[in-house]
Amino acid sequence: MTEVLGGVDDNDVRLRDALTGGCEEALAEVYDTHSATVYGLALRLTGDRGAAEDIAQEVFVELWMRPERYDPRRTRLRSWLCMITRRRAIDWLRRRRTQEHYAPVLAEPAAAAGVEDDVLTASLAAQVRLAVDELPSQHRQAILLAYYQGLTYQQVARALNIPEGTAKSRLRSGLRRLADALAAAGFDDLAVSKRTD
Amino acid sequence: MTDDPHPEDLLGAYAVDACAATEVATVAEHAADCPRCAAEGTRLAEAAQWLGVLTARRPPATLRTRVLEAARAARPAREPEVGQLLDPYARQVAAFDRLLAGLEPDQWRLATAKYDNVGELVTHLTASDALVADDLGVQARSASEPQIRRRWRAQADALLREVASGGPRLLERQVRLAGKAPVRRPLREALVQRTFETWIHADDLRTSLRLPTEPPRPDQLAGIASFALALLPGAIDAAGRGRPGQVRLVLTGPGGTEHLVALSAVPVPATTGGGADPPEGAVAEVVVPLVRFCRLLAGRLSVLESGAEIRGDAGAATDFLEVAATLGCD
């Protein structure tokens, strides 16, 4: 949509260019940096280890095959990988749900696990956790249902027994609060100098 | 701005892919013309994707090998020899693209080196790159790309991809070089020339923007000098200035080396039987910093501006330098 806030991440640009040039070390570096996030997210969404491994593989191979689809000027690499992971996992879930009746459960995401030695990911997770915990619970519920269960806003409305308009507005206000909290915590991709509205 | 009402109520759901397909299309269409909604949509999506780190979990150790093997099977990794030639070019492409991406609309109108504006400069570079891309049969993915910058970048990326997956044998493929005279040389030399030309145009743009110039690494500059020096004797002949003898070129500064360069590509008959050794003394010696010599090759410094020190046969040395200054891609 528009250029990522807080400027382009030079390291993401470097990795994307190296991937375009067929540099396998760059793929290994991306994997080592982001595999816990990608795998953990796929596992949280699908609840299935085998599916999570397959999805993680698809996500990294897709990046390797078509690195030019990732534009570092639009988003951070981590965000882009999460977006692709979510889409794949939600496709998997939707295929499943046509077979079994699916009842959304309100579940808080499990804490990041087994990544203590991955200092960067562990510290990012702790900061995001703090920002999420500070959200009003109504906003938090709507966001977590949509993000981790792949629900549409209509499904979120049904799950929380609220009007659809309320579900939409909770998603928007909740994400704005989350963005503001993360920006205040120093996440420069969410920094905002002037808001036009 | 469009006349449509802002679909603000949908922006949160849109950011987490929680809209119906028709709603996604509505928001995307609107955001294409509405910077305010586009900015909010981007920011909310970026915030949402940070939720992904909350559930980070170390994958099984076997997954790493599995992923790298699947990747290699889907698209071959480049070989180290290819990487050595490709990395310097990729670096210049990235640096030039970064400069272009940061240009304000009025800066695109700046006169740059030999071009009336930046657009013409980039179009010229795109045409030079196309000589190699066409000879390799590379199709830039977005041939219909309307933007000058994107069209150049898409072709450069396609070229990088093709060479990366081609292996060392591809490096021997004969392709056209850019320049005044049509010459075909192996791809390995053409890549050095692409690095050279992309760097020179990036520096052209830096100069127009009053930014400091940024030469490539010394070893890459040395590669550029060697590439040009191999073409020089033939170019001296073509300019009608060929003569027997050699010039000793002493390139100083980081990456500097010495070269003995023939003043003609026509082989000189040996004066004594079996004596294949080059003559002991060159007819002239030229001492110049490596980076300045590369800028002279590009036609960005005159012989005088290069500060070259000349000893011996001044006429031979001047011919040598003046022809060297025509070896750029303009």
Side-chain angles (χ1 to χ4, degrees):
Chain A
M1 281 175 125
T2 184
E3 184 153 309
V4 67
L5 298 157
V8 175
D9 186 307
D10 286 342
N11 200 43
D12 287 349
V13 174
R14 175 183 67 80
L15 286 168
R16 184 259 190 212
D17 290 344
L19 291 167
T20 302
C23 176
E24 198 180 13
E25 294 78 16
L27 181 64
E29 185 181 338
V30 174
Y31 182 88
D32 291 339
T33 310
H34 299 300
S35 60
T37 301
V38 167
Y39 172 76
L41 181 57
L43 182 61
R44 177 65 184 75
L45 279 151
T46 61
D48 182 305
R49 285 171 198 277
E53 289 186 35
D54 289 348
I55 288 167
Q57 175 175 327
E58 286 171 24
V59 168
F60 288 109
V61 171
E62 180 174 333
L63 175 68
W64 172 248
M65 290 291 290
R66 304 249 169 274
E68 59 277 3
R69 284 194 188 159
Y70 164 61
D71 183 352
R73 291 174 211 292
R74 298 287 172 95
T75 180
R76 296 292 157 91
L77 182 55
R78 184 187 295 271
S79 299
W80 191 82
L81 290 169
C82 285
M83 182 190 76
I84 303 291
T85 303
R86 263 190 88 240
R87 287 190 179 159
R88 299 261 175 176
I90 289 167
D91 284 347
W92 185 92
L93 281 174
R94 287 181 182 156
R95 283 198 302 273
R96 274 298 189 84
R97 282 174 197 165
T98 56
Q99 292 154 17
E100 329 163 0
H101 179 68
Y102 179 77
V105 280
L106 247 187
E108 294 281 324
V115 291
E116 293 76 13
D117 53 337
D118 180 349
V119 179
L120 178 64
T121 304
S123 110
L124 288 170
Q127 293 184 72
V128 176
R129 158 67 62 192
L130 213 59
V132 170
D133 286 348
E134 282 171 8
L135 290 175
S137 68
Q138 292 177 329
H139 291 159
R140 187 168 63 238
Q141 284 174 351
I143 289 173
L144 296 181
L145 277 172
Y147 192 80
Y148 286 111
Q149 312 232 3
L151 301 191
T152 63
Y153 71 84
Q154 293 95 335
Q155 291 169 318
V156 170
R158 279 200 293 282
L160 296 176
N161 200 21
I162 53 176
E164 290 183 359
T166 307
K168 284 192 280 190
S169 87
R170 284 188 190 171
L171 287 171
R172 183 181 179 212
S173 325
L175 287 172
R176 286 175 84 154
R177 282 170 186 260
L178 180 63
D180 290 343
L182 291 173
F187 285 57
D188 63 359
D189 58 331
L190 296 164
V192 79
S193 47
K194 49 186 184 294
R195 291 271 277 275
T196 48
D197 52 343
Chain B
M1 286 278 181
T2 64
D3 297 332
D4 308 329
H6 298 284
E8 287 165 330
D9 60 325
L10 280 170
L11 289 175
Y14 179 84
V16 280
D17 283 326
C19 294
T22 52
E23 292 168 326
V24 171
T26 305
V27 176
E29 214 168 282
H30 174 85
D33 289 325
C34 175
R36 193 182 76 184
C37 286
E40 180 171 349
T42 300
R43 185 165 192 257
L44 297 187
E46 198 72 13
Q49 297 305 347
W50 276 112
L51 294 169
V53 302
L54 279 184
T55 48
R57 183 173 289 260
R58 182 169 297 282
T62 49
L63 186 61
R64 189 178 195 273
T65 315
R66 195 181 125 185
V67 165
L68 294 180
E69 275 175 6
R72 221 175 284 134
R75 175 190 169 204
R78 65 176 197 203
E79 301 195 28
E81 186 189 353
V82 177
Q84 280 173 13
L85 280 162
L86 218 47
D87 278 344
Y89 177 47
R91 208 164 289 142
Q92 292 303 327
V93 168
F96 190 46
D97 196 33
R98 197 159 47 237
L99 281 170
L100 294 175
L103 290 182
E104 300 294 339
D106 60 325
Q107 290 175 318
W108 277 91
R109 290 194 284 274
L110 283 174
T112 303
K114 304 181 178 182
Y115 301 89
D116 287 345
N117 56 60
V118 179
E120 282 186 18
L121 175 85
V122 180
T123 302
H124 156 76
L125 179 60
T126 309
S128 294
D129 292 347
L131 296 174
V132 182
D134 289 350
D135 286 351
L136 293 181
V138 169
Q139 290 271 313
R141 207 168 298 280
S142 49
S144 61
E145 186 61 66
Q147 279 191 19
I148 291 171
R149 171 187 156 224
R150 296 234 179 114
R151 197 165 53 223
W152 161 72
R153 180 67 203 241
Q155 180 175 260
D157 277 348
L159 190 54
L160 286 164
R161 269 189 83 104
E162 179 72 13
V163 179
S165 55
R169 278 184 58 196
L170 185 67
L171 298 177
E172 307 312 322
R173 172 93 64 89
Q174 297 279 320
V175 296
R176 283 170 294 170
L177 293 184
K180 294 174 185 72
V183 187
R184 292 180 80 85
R185 303 288 287 186
L187 175 61
R188 62 169 64 252
E189 293 182 29
L191 287 172
V192 175
Q193 193 191 41
R194 292 300 83 228
T195 307
F196 180 30
E197 186 178 357
T198 312
W199 158 51
I200 287 298
H201 292 324
D203 265 1
D204 288 341
L205 184 51
R206 290 186 186 103
T207 303
S208 295
L209 296 170
R210 298 171 194 278
L211 294 171
T213 55
E214 288 181 24
R217 286 197 332 224
D219 59 315
Q220 294 164 8
L221 285 173
I224 289 168
S226 298
F227 153 75
L229 290 173
L231 300 173
L232 190 49
I236 297 173
D237 288 334
R241 302 200 203 179
R243 66 179 84 184
Q246 295 172 308
V247 164
R248 181 190 305 281
L249 176 66
V250 182
L251 297 171
T252 59
T257 40
E258 278 191 36
H259 299 263
L260 268 177
V261 187
L263 290 164
S264 167
V266 181
V268 182
T271 45
T272 53
D277 290 344
E280 265 296 303
V283 298
E285 184 177 75
V286 173
V287 182
V288 59
L290 171 60
V291 63
R292 287 199 187 185
F293 183 69
C294 289
R295 293 208 165 100
L296 172 118
L297 287 170
R300 295 309 189 264
L301 287 180
S302 68
V303 174
L304 200 65
E305 289 165 333
S306 75
E309 295 167 29
I310 294 171
R311 293 186 199 99
D313 183 340
T318 304
D319 280 355
F320 170 89
L321 287 169
E322 284 181 355
V323 176
T326 66
L327 290 179
C329 308
D330 270 8

